Amino acid sequence: MLVKTHVRVLVIGGGVVGVSTLYHLTKKGWRDVALIERTELTAGSTWHAAGLLPLFNMSYTVGQLHKYSVDLYKRLPGETGQDVSFHVTGNLRLATCRERMDEYYKYCGTANTIGVPFEVITPQRVKELWPLLELGGNADTPAIVGALYHPDDGHIAPADLTMALRKGARSAGAEIYEHTEAVGIERTASGEWRVRTGKGAEITAEHLVLATGNYARQTGQLLGLNVPAIPVEHQYIVYDASPELKAYRQRGGRELAVLRESDKSYYLREERMGWILGPYERGAPARFADGVPEWFGRSLFPGDLDRLVPHVEAATRRVPALEHCGIKDIVNGPISYTPDGTPLIGPAWGVPNVWLNEGHSFGITAAGGAGWQLAEWIVEGEPGIDMLAVDPRRFGPYTSKRYVVKKNEETYRSVFTVHFPDEERPDARPAKTSPVYDKLSARGAVWGQRYGWERANWFAPPGVARRDTWSFRRSNYFEHVGSEARLMRERVGVIDLTPFTKHEVTGPGAEAWLDRLVANKVPAKVGRMALSHALTVRGGIRSEFTITKIAEQHYYVVSAGAAERYDGDYLLKSLPADGSVGLRNITNARGCFVLAGPRSRDVLAQLTDTPLDNTAFPWLTAQVIEAGLAVDVYALRVNFVGALGWELHFPVEYAHHLFDALFEAGAPHGIGMVGMRAMESLRLEKSYRMWGSDITPDYTPFEASLDRFVRIKKGPFIGRAALERQQAAGVPNRFVTLEVHEVTDADPLGNEPLFDKGGRMIGRATSGYYGHCLQKSLAIGYARTELATPGTELSIEILGERKPATVLPESPYDPDNLQLRA
Ligand SMILES: Cc1cc2nc3c(=O)[nH]c(=O)nc-3n(C[C@H](O)[C@H](O)[C@H](O)COP(=O)(O)OP(=O)(O)OC[C@H]3O[C@@H](n4cnc5c(N)ncnc54)[C@H](O)[C@@H]3O)c2cc1C
């Protein structure tokens, strides 16, 4: 029975994630909050979870959320009086090959930068910690070559954890209504949300949080949202008591660490003197793509032993004690997944004040951090840490049901595969392609996928196999990427950047509106452009836009391809209500070819009558031109590779013609295609920051040393007050470009810690690559301001090894931009 009919926030879903969100809202001082649950708290996936709390995660954001959870769960019993059965057993991840050790060392960089304690240990130490384990060394059971040990994590009782969070929330004033299902949601005239429950009662809320686990798609549909979260079957085996384990414990042995044999894709932990064994199997099917059937309720699926057998056999070889225990039970339940395996935490798109906390596959581990940051976001208007990696708007309209099913099944079976930085998973591809996809394939494209789009990572020359050997080190494509980079620097190359996000902003209010959104001055003259950053209220960088004035009251706004929904939603929700600004997403209406290199002017000149010399068409200007047969081509004299050149944004129907025309005109100049990896190398040589990795809400434009793109005196804009405060207080970090010395085969790739001469961690690299034209290994990132001056000697940890690094002046290649201005 509903007591309240109006609250500030209504959370829908009483699993661990919903209850944690409620708890954290009260911690932020919002007490007029409630939660509704269709049956009973924990009735969803929470009740049957194995309760593991792995701190290991390759993501900088998710790692921070998990760390917060583990810290919270330790203090929760003291705060609430409710025990949560947190067994801090430690967590041991075995490695049986060099690539796995590379993965662990790569992870250590992230762990260092977020302060997660860990140890990389030897096989001997593994045996000391886990005496019941065989170190192996034969064909069936490969030798352990090392392991990653987290002393601080372990396992917890998920229901007890939920009850502790419930207690904390309720004692601070939150209400919880069980047996109350949300069956309808509508917007009230005043802009609030009215939720109709199964019992006919209604409750109105300023904000809605959807935390409905396996029901995410159904709940989303109540609001017209296609939420890309579909569960996959996940099972674990519960074993009877183990005589060997009993004997070990009777001898005084401590509870064994949670064990993960990543190369055999399973976890193993103690449970009542027996074991729980959980594999991530191949062939586990997605379930409930069309919604959870009424009959499912608290039920489980029947166990599928065939899928489990290879993992049981591998585990038994590694831990022979398993052989002497009977199987007591198989738990096979739905586990929510998203196409990249990372949850959806943050604003829903297109609807105001609706928040998602859905798609959790490690929800027991993530619940604390997810509730913490979502509450921060709701109450403060933005999160306290960079949440781009979990923002629900990182996915777009391309997440059809079949796409999500395929990707989620792939992600599930890949949980324990080595997470190579250049990995490109094959399922559900190709989905979105540029019109010239086949032409690029014919030129040897080796494809990757981002935001559903196929993008050519590199081009295999004739006779070279068109495949990647994924690695943490320089790999098979290294020299070919180098050739592409040199082509761009020495002659002329084309990059297909059709996936760019493109918006058209028009109307009498366009200029003033954009000007308030970004820190730079929006161009006032037709044909001018400005690199502009939309900031958060805290002054962090939320988006990067290239804003070009095409005509009076007409702006062309370009941002990262992966930011289509993220930026589009922000722009849409920020529009003035008076109708003075028109906003149109024209991403799919225009293609984009980057034509760049010293010969680019000679090539383009053959296709257009528009004068291209420096006086008629200077750097950082734009014109609407004809190119070959194509009309209405926006030619922007700007690019991300630091060369003379143009971005040609053309009506998409001209893609084939323009492509052929460019290659015909470019043939005498040696024109060729250039892929994403060469672009990465070229942009690092110019210290160009990439949105999403180098520029994020964690850093202000001053920290990013983008001061020249901030016009603090131009008038009010979002984030200005924070920038003024930072200016007065002093900028704590500064952007650095580093030359890394003594690199043999492992270049920095981002997320490596930086150290000063005394060995203190003083910053982090956010990107890195080999600069093929400079022939230097390069990293860019952030260091404490006093250590960011050129010439400073630092060191960087790459795959467990400290390498000396020198801070370089910005833009080590062509620092005066002579080529861009040529
Ligand atoms: C076998 C198995 C083992 C697992 N082991 C682990 C583990 O060791 N560690 C780990 O971190 N994670 C583990 N997980 C994953 C974990 O269980 C989930 O990530 C987590 O429980 C998700 O919590 P939740 O609150 O998002 O969803 P749920 O617990 O599913 O809660 C969602 C709730 O929303 C309610 N609801 C739905 N629709 C409505 C509506 N319209 N109105 C009102 N209420 C509604 C549901 O009844 C449900 O109670 C495991 C999962 C499985 C299947």
Side-chain angles (χ1 to χ4, degrees):
M1 158 93 181
L2 283 178
V3 181
K4 286 197 168 183
T5 54
H6 185 279
V7 287
R8 236 170 151 187
V9 187
L10 181 67
V11 179
I12 304 177
V16 66
V17 171
V19 181
S20 171
T21 311
L22 192 73
Y23 166 86
H24 283 94
L25 284 165
T26 63
K27 285 279 156 203
K28 289 292 298 178
W30 281 23
R31 285 147 193 269
D32 181 18
V33 292
L35 179 149
I36 56 173
E37 160 55 47
R38 62 190 291 277
T39 56
E40 289 159 6
L41 295 189
T42 76
S45 281
T46 299
W47 76 269
H48 53 244
L52 309 178
L53 300 175
L55 278 164
F56 180 87
N57 199 288
M58 300 298 280
S59 154
Y60 182 63
T61 298
V62 179
Q64 291 179 78
L65 300 181
H66 286 190
K67 178 178 186 310
Y68 173 89
S69 294
V70 167
D71 293 345
L72 169 73
Y73 301 166
K74 284 182 181 158
R75 56 175 198 268
L76 212 48
E79 181 192 316
T80 62
Q82 162 79 52
D83 183 40
V84 296
S85 299
F86 191 167
H87 294 227
V88 185
T89 57
N91 182 347
L92 199 54
R93 299 181 94 89
L94 307 177
T96 59
C97 59
R98 182 194 187 205
E99 288 77 15
R100 184 66 70 183
M101 283 310 289
D102 277 354
E103 177 189 51
Y104 292 166
Y105 278 121
K106 180 85 184 85
Y107 161 79
C108 294
T110 310
N112 262 322
T113 55
I114 59 184
V116 171
F118 65 87
E119 294 165 38
V120 177
I121 61 175
T122 61
Q124 289 65 38
R125 178 85 180 113
V126 169
K127 186 75 181 169
E128 282 164 28
L129 285 168
W130 236 95
L132 302 188
L133 160 158
E134 293 294 319
L135 286 177
N138 54 54
D140 280 345
T141 310
I144 291 170
V145 296
L148 180 67
Y149 179 53
H150 283 98
D152 272 11
D153 74 26
H155 59 92
I156 202 165
D160 294 350
L161 168 64
T162 313
M163 290 310 153
L165 292 164
R166 165 187 170 269
K167 216 169 159 190
R170 288 191 60 176
S171 64
E175 304 254 334
I176 295 178
Y177 306 114
E178 291 180 290
H179 301 287
T180 305
E181 181 176 8
V183 294
I185 303 175
E186 61 189 26
R187 193 104 191 269
T188 66
S190 63
E192 295 186 312
W193 293 102
R194 188 182 300 122
V195 176
R196 196 160 34 83
T197 72
K199 295 171 180 163
E202 289 181 344
I203 184 162
T204 305
E206 282 172 40
H207 295 265
L208 278 188
V209 176
L210 313 188
T212 56
N214 302 315
Y215 294 76
R217 281 174 81 74
Q218 277 140 291
T219 331
Q221 275 158 16
L222 297 178
L223 286 147
L225 296 169
N226 174 26
V227 178
I230 294 180
V232 178
E233 281 187 23
H234 175 48
Q235 41 185 356
Y236 60 78
I237 301 170
V238 187
Y239 285 89
D240 281 327
S242 156
E244 286 88 344
L245 179 58
K246 258 188 186 165
Y248 157 78
R249 295 294 294 275
Q250 275 160 4
R251 288 196 302 272
R254 69 185 283 266
E255 183 175 349
L256 292 166
V258 175
L259 184 75
R260 284 184 169 78
E261 186 169 4
S262 310
D263 298 320
K264 295 291 177 195
S265 196
Y266 69 82
Y267 58 77
L268 182 70
R269 78 157 168 88
E270 285 190 25
E271 170 74 5
R272 296 172 201 274
M273 288 297 157
W275 310 98
I276 282 183
L277 171 69
Y280 281 80
E281 332 89 288
R282 299 187 74 79
R287 303 297 294 250
F288 309 148
D290 296 312
V292 184
E294 202 50 48
W295 54 261
F296 189 77
R298 266 182 100 106
S299 22
L300 295 168
F301 308 112
D304 184 335
L305 254 177
D306 286 351
R307 285 205 320 259
L308 295 171
V309 165
H311 306 274
V312 172
E313 288 175 353
T316 310
R317 287 194 295 268
R318 184 66 72 195
V319 182
L322 280 170
E323 212 169 336
H324 309 127
C325 325
I327 290 181
K328 200 155 74 178
D329 201 2
I330 296 178
V331 175
N332 184 5
I335 185 165
S336 190
Y337 258 83
T338 64
D340 61 7
T342 299
L344 310 164
I345 311 169
W349 55 95
V351 280
N353 296 339
V354 176
W355 306 84
L356 303 187
N357 210 344
E358 299 282 24
H360 283 276
S361 55
F362 286 91
I364 310 304
T365 321
W372 164 54
Q373 279 307 309
L374 192 62
E376 186 77 13
W377 211 333
I378 295 170
V379 173
E380 304 294 342
E382 57 194 46
I385 61 168
D386 165 17
M387 293 283 277
L388 289 173
V390 293
D391 193 307
R393 298 164 298 180
R394 70 187 183 279
F395 295 108
Y398 61 89
T399 52
S400 65
K401 182 174 84 179
R402 283 172 177 76
Y403 176 89
V404 179
V405 164
K406 283 187 173 174
K407 276 290 173 203
N408 289 11
E409 289 177 348
E410 179 186 57
T411 302
Y412 176 85
R413 69 168 187 268
S414 307
V415 163
F416 276 119
T417 57
V418 178
H419 299 295
F420 291 108
D422 50 358
E423 179 188 22
E424 296 283 358
R425 293 188 184 159
D427 286 9
R429 292 178 52 195
K432 287 165 40 174
T433 57
S434 149
V436 293
Y437 174 81
D438 288 343
K439 290 191 158 128
L440 269 48
S441 288
R443 286 175 182 273
V446 183
W447 295 100
Q449 194 194 44
R450 185 106 158 90
Y451 196 74
W453 284 102
E454 291 297 313
R455 305 186 316 169
N457 281 334
W458 61 285
F459 290 84
V464 172
R466 291 173 51 180
R467 57 170 178 77
D468 284 341
T469 306
W470 299 327
S471 176
F472 291 88
R473 297 161 190 272
R474 291 176 192 166
S475 190
N476 64 315
Y477 48 82
F478 181 79
E479 63 168 292
H480 308 299
V481 167
S483 308
E484 291 170 28
R486 282 186 294 276
L487 176 84
M488 202 66 136
R489 290 267 183 262
E490 292 162 13
R491 285 178 285 148
V492 54
V494 174
I495 311 178
D496 183 4
L497 286 184
T498 294
F500 263 144
T501 295
K502 309 162 201 100
H503 282 92
E504 184 183 82
V505 178
T506 51
E511 183 179 340
W513 175 65
L514 283 172
D515 215 47
R516 251 193 66 80
L517 282 188
V518 298
N520 203 351
K521 181 87 192 78
V522 169
K525 276 196 184 155
V526 172
R528 289 302 166 100
M529 65 177 71
L531 188 69
S532 316
H533 301 94
L535 309 184
T536 66
V537 175
R538 291 184 173 129
I541 301 173
R542 74 167 318 285
S543 300
E544 183 176 67
F545 298 115
T546 303
I547 301 180
T548 304
K549 187 161 182 177
I550 296 291
E552 289 308 328
Q553 300 189 8
H554 179 176
Y555 289 89
Y556 182 58
V557 178
V558 177
S559 55
E564 185 192 15
R565 179 173 270 169
Y566 174 82
D567 284 342
D569 184 58
Y570 182 64
L571 293 173
L572 195 70
K573 285 178 180 162
S574 316
L575 272 183
D578 62 8
S580 63
V581 183
L583 176 72
R584 224 157 54 94
N585 178 356
I586 54 168
T587 299
N588 297 333
R590 282 189 179 263
C592 174
F593 297 147
V594 179
L595 175 74
R599 309 272 180 84
S600 58
R601 182 181 279 128
D602 302 328
V603 176
L604 189 58
Q606 295 174 62
L607 304 188
T608 186
D609 294 339
T610 305
L612 300 175
D613 60 278
N614 262 335
T615 323
F617 207 147
W619 183 43
L620 296 179
T621 63
Q623 295 186 38
V624 182
I625 66 168
E626 289 189 3
L629 302 178
V631 297
D632 192 29
V633 176
Y634 298 171
L636 278 50
R637 194 169 157 194
V638 70
N639 58 63
F640 202 49
V641 294
L644 169 70
W646 282 262
E647 278 183 6
L648 302 173
H649 294 249
F650 51 86
V652 75
E653 58 273 26
Y654 288 114
H656 285 284
H657 164 71
L658 198 54
F659 185 87
D660 292 343
L662 286 171
F663 273 82
E664 197 184 318
H669 301 280
I671 196 168
M673 283 305 301
V674 172
M676 291 297 126
R677 291 185 182 146
M679 189 172 88
E680 185 70 3
S681 170
L682 293 162
R683 68 110 183 162
L684 277 158
E685 292 181 336
K686 290 294 293 171
S687 307
Y688 288 163
R689 293 80 160 151
M690 179 78 87
W691 170 83
S693 49
D694 309 315
I695 46 180
T696 71
D698 274 356
Y699 301 103
T700 69
F702 293 152
E703 289 174 285
S705 301
L706 294 169
D707 308 43
R708 63 191 182 282
F709 300 107
V710 177
R711 295 293 156 87
I712 205 115
K713 296 208 167 74
K714 73 170 183 173
F717 61 89
I718 295 166
R720 184 171 82 161
L723 292 192
E724 283 171 340
R725 282 195 299 277
Q726 189 175 68
Q727 237 173 4
V731 180
N733 303 297
R734 277 287 185 178
F735 177 84
V736 284
T737 304
L738 298 166
E739 177 181 355
V740 184
H741 309 285
E742 298 173 14
V743 170
T744 48
D745 68 343
D747 295 297
L749 295 169
N751 272 331
E752 291 89 6
L754 304 178
F755 302 91
D756 67 8
K757 275 192 163 162
R760 282 178 302 261
M761 201 174 71
I762 50 81
R764 59 185 276 259
T766 48
S767 290
Y769 219 61
Y770 183 70
H772 282 277
C773 301
L774 290 173
Q775 299 185 2
K776 289 181 195 311
S777 194
L778 298 170
I780 61 176
Y782 293 85
R784 287 220 312 264
T785 299
E786 64 277 15
L787 293 164
T789 25
T792 308
E793 300 294 340
L794 301 174
S795 63
I796 179 169
E797 195 169 294
I798 303 173
L799 302 185
E801 289 181 31
R802 295 264 171 109
K803 303 282 181 188
T806 311
V807 179
L808 299 179
E810 176 140 349
S811 182
Y813 182 84
D814 186 19
D816 298 321
N817 294 328
L818 298 178
Q819 299 207 0
L820 283 160
R821 296 174 205 271

